[in-house]
């Protein structure tokens, strides 16, 4: 995420851990990186993140999506 943001791409970095997202946002200060919470195991969380990204993009579609989510039990 940082590499892409530093290259000028608008990046929406997602995750479950708000503290980790806040740390990433601080490290990415001055870049077009934005954060939002997302739990890929929760359909409501996915819907909220999708709606929020759609809102931030003002209805436009993203150019690319990189899914690097993991799930284990």
């Amino acid at each position: 995420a940082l590499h892409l943001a530093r290259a000028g791409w608008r990046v929406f970095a997602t995750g479950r851990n708000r503290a980790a997202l806040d740390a990433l946002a601080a490290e990415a200060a001055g870049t077009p990186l934005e954060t939002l919470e997302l739990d890929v195991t929760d359909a409501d969380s996915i819907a909220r993140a999708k709606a929020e990204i759609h809102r931030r993009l003002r209805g436009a579609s993203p150019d690319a999506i990189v899914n690097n989510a993991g799930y284990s039990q």
Side-chain angles (χ1 to χ4, degrees), residues 59-70:
S61 295
D63 291 326
I65 296 174
V66 178
N67 182 5
N68 188 30

Side-chain angles (χ1 to χ4, degrees), residues 29-67:
T31 72
L33 183 138
E34 303 174 48
T35 63
L36 63 148
E37 291 184 45
L38 169 62
D39 180 347
V40 299
T41 67
D42 180 337
D44 290 335
S45 178
I46 294 167
R48 284 190 304 273
K50 178 184 173 188
E52 179 61 16
I53 290 170
H54 187 73
R55 184 191 69 77
R56 292 184 191 185
L57 290 175
R58 296 188 175 109
S61 295
D63 291 326
I65 296 174
V66 178
N67 182 5

